Structure formats: C-alpha cells, structure tokens
Amino acid sequence: MIPDLTPLADLLITILIVAVLAGFFGALAGLGGGMILQPIFVLYLGLSFGDAVGASAIGVLATSLTTGAAFTRERIMDLRVANLIASVTVPGALVGATLTVLFAGTRIEPLFLIAFGLILIANIPGTVALRRPKGEPYNGRPDRLAELLHLEGNYLDRPRRKVVHYRAKRVRETMGVMFGAGVISGLFGIGSGVLNVLTMDRVTGLPIKVSTTTSNYVVGIDIMASLAILFAGGLVQPTLAAPVAIGSAAGAYFGGRMLPKMDSGWIRWVFLALMVIFGIEELLKGVTGL
Amino acid sequence: MSAENPTIEDLPIDPAFPPETYDRMARLLEVTAVVFFLLALIGFVARLVQDWAMPLSAVIHREPRSWYWTPEAYFSNLFAFNPSSVILLGVAVMMVAVIGRSVISAIGLYRAQENVLASITVSVVTLIAIAFLLARYGP
C-alpha cells in the first residue's frame, strides 16, 4: 500500500516536476528556466518571496553548470570578456542579494514583486530583438580598454563553416549595464541571461554565440556570489533547493539534447506569453500588497 | 586542416587559454555537476523518506519486537542523517567548480603575462570567498 503524501512531500514533488518542465522547455526556448520558476513559486506554490529567490538561485546555478561543460568544450565563450564582466556583475549581485535579505518579508516586499513583474515584461522586447540577426560581428578598431585587455577572439561558426574573428567595443558602457544585470540577478535569484546576452550582442559587438556562452559563465559566478549572501540571510532552504536543482539540471540537460532535433520556435512564444502573464500577476500581487 | 570545412582544431591557439585549459574547465564542470546532482538526489530522497517514515517509526520504536520488520523503520534507519547537510555539501561542490574555473582562467592569464585581467579575475574570486566567509562567520 502506498501511503498518502504528506503536505511537505506533496510540495517537494510538485516543485521537482515544475523545475523539470521549466528546465526542459527553458533550454528548448533558449531562455533558461529561472525567469518562470521564481514567479511560479511565489504565485502558485505559496513560497515566500525570499525562499523563492533562494530556491531559484540554486536552480539557475545547477543549470549553468550542467550546460556549461558543453559550451566550454566548444571553445566559444570568451574568457577574457567573461572575467572582466564578472568584476562588475559580482559586486552588483552582492548588492542585489543584500537588498533581498534586508527587505524580503518586510513592508517593502511588494515593491520587489512590482519590480520583478516589470522586468519580466521588459524581457519580451529584448528576447524578440535577439531573434533578429545583427549581421557580421564587430571587427573594427577596438577601443582603448579593449586593446589594453586583448578583448578579441575567434570561434568556429559550424553552420557557416568558417572561423569568425571579432573584437569587443564600448567596454565601459558594457560594464555599466552589466552592473545593473548583476543587481537584478542578486535581487531575484535569476540569471539575467537575456540582459547579459543583449548587452554583449548589441553594445559590446560580440557574436551571438559568444555572447550566449559567455553569459553562461558570468551567470554561474553571479549566482554563486548571491548565494553567499542569501545563505547568510537564511533564504536558501536546502529542502526546497534540492528538487529545484535536480529538476532544473535534468530538464536543461535533456532539453539541450533535444534542441537540435525539434522545431522549438513555438516553445519560445509560449515561454514569452508565460512571462507576460506572470509579469502582470506579479505586478498585481505587488500593487495589492502595498 | 581544411580551409573549406574548418574544425575546432583550426582555431588559432590563444596563449592564455590553450585547448587544454578549456578541456580542464569542462572536466571540472562535468565531474562537479555529477557529484552535485548525486548529492542533491540523495538529500532529496532522504528527506522524502524521512518525511514518510519518521513519524511512523517513532511509534514503532515503542514496540522493539517489530522494529526491524517494518519497511518504514528500516528506511528511516537507512536515511538517518540530515538531508540538508548533504544538499549543502552539493552546493559547496558547485562553489568549487565556479571558483576553480576562475582560478584556471587566472593562471592562464598570468602565464600569458596579461597581469591586469589576471588580477581582476583573482579579485573577483577573492570577493566571493570573502562574501562566503562573512556569511559563515560574520555578524
């Protein structure tokens, strides 16, 4: 006889299933699952904002590391750019996570929900913009900082069967925006992948594949920094973190393997629609909580 | 090498990050991801089993004769450890992966005498380490 599930077991298994689905479809949509995990936890599973941030951060870290090995072997990520960007995103993430620890559960918390709702909605044009091809990567004169730090590289573009050379530009502007991406990452326990990729693609002038893989590296470091603060603030519940990590990592792994075999265009649109719905719901929850 | 159909071997060698560096990083990530996944899985299953078996076994404890013959008691004994510690150990393993990857980068940059970027990388690692130490031992 199988006994009835206790409320805790019921919650943990639900979280596991949600994390698997978010990881799987997030990988297929190329958006990562973090953006929808956090709102599902807060809006539908009844987790507090702080616990949802901690659990989501663990899920993002697990996904980043699971998919990171394949990106690394392909030698597409730009380690110079990644380490430079991490120097501003990590302080940003520490600031963001500190704000969450200080204000989660207080009267200010609804403002966090409103901000997250706005960020979810603001991601839509960014994600759509990334679908439009930018043309050839920047290959002009590097700016002084890029020249000093040797921010240029090559990668193998398999579909076009050529080695592509690129250079970074507008490094100062990139670092300014990326500090903000780090703050958002720490505040909400998400990877800020869309903002990272959009900035590297449109501001720094890196090819989209280099931007995507470099973002994966940066997200890992940011989230690790955030976790230090979230742990200290008691916002990472290991019991909740385990099913999120297992589900996100397994979902992302299998989603990544399925990606070349199926047409994932419609999944991206479903994901974007979910982000709009969740964004509006978070906004409403925040406004009614004020 | 083929100019018409280049492979990853045709990429120019970066003095700071030769192919071995990328392989080393990838191996580190693969190993730590598997270890983390297993630890999280053990912690998760243990938590579920404890949740299911513990209240029953607490009752069974009062009847020593039936102790070893109930599946609930057997499993609660088997998973008689703190699942949270196992999961946190998994997170610590992931931390090793993230920090290790940055340290490998920094070593490559120092070897290529790109000292500015190497120092920046070390600073980031140090900042994360300080944050963890403060989180663990701070106020």
Side-chain angles (χ1 to χ4, degrees), chain A residues 3 6 73-74 80 224 228, chain B residues 8 14 30 51-52 95 114 135:
Chain A
T6 63
R73 278 206 199 285
E74 282 290 302
R80 286 184 182 80
M224 187 48 80
Chain B
I8 201 162
D14 185 330
E30 281 164 356
D51 192 49
W52 166 62
M95 193 176 98
E114 295 185 31

Side-chain angles (χ1 to χ4, degrees), chain A residues 69 72-75, chain B residues 9 18-30 104:
Chain A
T72 309
R73 278 206 199 285
E74 282 290 302
R75 285 157 58 187
Chain B
E9 305 303 325
E20 306 86 67
T21 302
Y22 285 99
D23 288 343
R24 211 170 289 144
M25 282 184 188
R27 269 202 307 276
L28 177 70
L29 289 186
E30 281 164 356
I104 292 171

Side-chain angles (χ1 to χ4, degrees), chain A residues 3 6 8-9 12 16 58 61-62 65 68-69 72-75 77 79-80 83-84 86-87 90-91 94 149-150 154-156 161-163 217 221 224 228 231-232 238-239 242-243 245-246, chain B residues 5-8 11-12 14 16-17 19 22-23 25-26 29-30 36-37 40-41 44 47-48 51-52 84 87-88 91 94-95 98 101-102 105 114 116-117 120-121 124 127-128 131-132 135:
Chain A
T6 63
L8 178 67
L12 295 184
L16 179 70
I58 292 277
L61 183 60
L65 290 187
T72 309
R73 278 206 199 285
E74 282 290 302
R75 285 157 58 187
M77 67 173 61
L79 291 168
R80 286 184 182 80
N83 284 311
L84 183 66
S87 70
V90 165
L94 292 173
L149 301 174
H150 305 113
N154 301 280
Y155 81 100
L156 177 64
R161 294 181 177 180
K162 62 187 266 194
V163 173
Y217 182 103
I221 302 181
M224 187 48 80
F231 268 120
T239 304
I246 296 166
Chain B
N5 197 6
T7 66
I8 201 162
L11 288 172
D14 185 330
F17 306 115
Y22 285 99
D23 288 343
M25 282 184 188
L29 289 186
E30 281 164 356
F36 163 72
F37 191 84
L41 196 61
F44 178 61
R47 188 71 190 84
L48 284 181
D51 192 49
W52 166 62
S84 297
I87 297 162
L88 291 179
V91 177
M94 289 207 285
M95 193 176 98
V98 172
R101 191 167 59 169
S102 294
S105 287
E114 295 185 31
V116 176
L117 205 48
I120 289 172
T121 308
V124 170
L127 188 59
I128 297 176
F132 265 97

Side-chain angles (χ1 to χ4, degrees), chain A residues 10-255:
Chain A
D10 197 13
L11 175 67
L12 295 184
I13 290 169
T14 308
I15 288 176
L16 179 70
I17 294 168
V18 167
V20 169
L21 292 175
F24 183 77
F25 290 110
L28 285 179
L31 293 169
M35 294 297 280
I36 63 162
L37 269 182
Q38 206 263 25
I40 291 176
F41 291 158
V42 172
L43 297 170
Y44 303 111
L45 297 184
L47 263 61
S48 71
F49 174 76
D51 285 346
V53 169
S56 169
I58 292 277
V60 171
L61 183 60
T63 309
S64 161
L65 290 187
T66 308
T67 52
F71 289 155
T72 309
R73 278 206 199 285
E74 282 290 302
R75 285 157 58 187
I76 300 177
M77 67 173 61
D78 190 314
L79 291 168
R80 286 184 182 80
V81 172
N83 284 311
L84 183 66
I85 287 175
S87 70
V88 288
T89 53
V90 165
L94 292 173
V95 170
T98 305
L99 289 174
T100 297
V101 167
L102 288 176
F103 297 114
T106 67
R107 283 194 307 171
I108 298 175
E109 189 179 285
L111 291 178
F112 284 67
L113 296 176
I114 293 171
F116 189 61
L118 291 173
I119 286 168
L120 277 176
I121 295 167
N123 260 292
I124 310 296
T127 310
V128 173
L130 282 175
R131 299 298 294 168
R132 284 199 292 272
K134 182 188 58 174
E136 288 298 310
Y138 181 69
N139 227 332
R141 203 164 159 266
D143 66 24
R144 266 185 58 202
L145 202 53
E147 201 166 12
L148 176 74
L149 301 174
H150 305 113
L151 302 182
E152 60 182 300
N154 301 280
Y155 81 100
L156 177 64
D157 189 335
R158 288 186 190 275
R160 291 162 69 195
R161 294 181 177 180
K162 62 187 266 194
V163 173
V164 178
H165 182 258
Y166 60 87
R167 286 195 174 109
K169 59 178 178 175
R170 289 188 285 191
V171 178
R172 282 192 188 83
E173 290 89 331
T174 301
M175 292 175 77
V177 179
M178 285 302 197
F179 177 78
V183 173
I184 292 171
S185 178
L187 267 175
F188 304 112
I190 56 173
S192 296
V194 174
L195 185 53
N196 285 349
V197 175
L198 197 63
T199 309
M200 280 187 262
D201 183 69
R202 298 296 149 109
V203 180
T204 327
L206 302 185
I208 187 74
K209 284 185 180 170
V210 177
S211 306
T212 311
T213 50
T214 305
S215 168
N216 178 278
Y217 182 103
V218 174
V219 164
I221 302 181
D222 288 355
I223 287 290
M224 187 48 80
S226 309
L227 279 172
I229 306 294
L230 297 173
F231 268 120
L235 296 185
V236 180
Q237 311 294 340
T239 304
L240 299 176
V244 179
I246 296 166
S248 304
Y253 178 79
F254 289 111

